[in-house]
Amino acid sequence: MGRCVEVTLVRWLQVGEREVADQDLAVHIDTYWHDMPTLSSVPTKPLDGKIWLRRMPIDELLEDPSASLPLAGRVDFDRMGYLQLNLYPSRLFVPTLVQTAQIEVRQEGGMLEVLDGEQVVADYSHWNAGWGPVRPTQLSGACGAALVSRGTAYREVPASEGQAVRSFYLWQVRILQRDSTLEAFDEVLKGGVFFV
């Protein structure tokens, strides 16, 4: 395990007037991203194959100075489910459906499905990215994870007349490298945004 690479890519919306310039957006959002509120789960039976998530008001998700809204968020610790502990809270993402009263997340085969009413709006998959007795503490987990939407309804947010709505991806790549298992890892961390 001489080289490890961790990639994170999350889609955001930017609505209306903003105080943060495009070139400063990645650095500005980084602090918010690490401290953003988690989506709260509703208690269910311990062995239930599904969980319910409460809707989070848009003003709690909106990062004001940049007028940006993440389209995926992390789940709280109240209902852990069957997933490995190292997915929580950094790698278990669900859509931030701001116009939905309640979101259902259920196990379907080897993945999770996210439902709005009876319609599946996203699939969440995870996989083992590396086995071993230890893992570098800098990584957010020894697992890969992907939240893939079905359709574009999750991107529809209420905007006032005349407000521009833009989409961008916030990305981060962490590279850990060492020459020997007895050495500490050297870390390179890069991030940014690109508009779509």
Side-chain angles (χ1 to χ4, degrees):
M1 203 158 128
R3 179 180 164 101
C4 302
V5 179
E6 178 185 62
V7 178
T8 303
L9 182 70
V10 178
R11 189 168 186 150
W12 291 61
L13 290 181
Q14 199 171 49
V15 183
E17 295 295 320
R18 56 204 167 277
E19 300 169 15
V20 180
D22 289 351
Q23 64 268 22
D24 301 327
L25 192 56
V27 173
H28 178 80
I29 288 180
D30 189 55
T31 303
Y32 171 79
W33 176 245
H34 292 292
D35 298 330
M36 72 179 278
T38 55
L39 301 165
S40 61
S41 57
V42 177
T44 57
K45 296 176 185 171
L47 297 179
D48 254 354
K50 63 183 173 184
I51 61 172
W52 292 93
L53 301 172
R54 292 184 183 95
R55 180 181 70 86
M56 183 173 283
I58 194 169
D59 59 332
E60 286 184 33
L61 282 170
L62 188 67
E63 202 288 318
D64 274 334
S66 67
S68 300
L69 174 75
L71 295 180
R74 293 183 275 268
V75 179
D76 66 15
F77 284 93
D78 293 341
R79 179 67 168 88
M80 295 294 282
Y82 75 100
L83 295 174
Q84 294 101 324
L85 183 62
N86 62 8
L87 285 173
Y88 288 84
S90 60
R91 286 280 179 247
L92 180 54
F93 289 105
V94 294
T96 53
L97 301 171
V98 295
Q99 298 183 51
T100 304
Q102 209 167 247
I103 303 167
E104 179 185 352
V105 181
R106 70 178 179 206
Q107 183 180 351
E108 186 62 41
M111 67 174 58
L112 298 177
E113 289 183 335
V114 181
L115 291 91
D116 178 8
E118 293 297 315
Q119 180 184 5
V120 178
V121 294
D123 297 305
Y124 176 86
S125 301
H126 70 283
W127 56 93
N128 291 315
W131 290 96
V134 296
R135 68 171 171 84
T137 57
Q138 298 97 318
L139 296 182
S140 301
C143 292
L147 175 66
V148 180
S149 68
R150 292 192 191 178
T152 59
Y154 70 97
R155 287 188 248 157
E156 296 169 6
V157 296
S160 300
E161 191 174 324
Q163 278 187 330
V165 177
R166 303 190 307 169
S167 287
F168 67 90
Y169 284 95
L170 176 67
W171 63 271
Q172 183 183 66
V173 176
R174 182 187 313 271
I175 300 171
L176 303 175
Q177 182 105 25
R178 64 183 178 184
D179 294 327
S180 162
T181 56
L182 301 176
E183 296 176 3
F185 281 98
D186 292 324
E187 180 180 58
V188 176
L189 184 64
K190 296 192 179 207
V193 299
F194 62 90
F195 288 86
V196 291

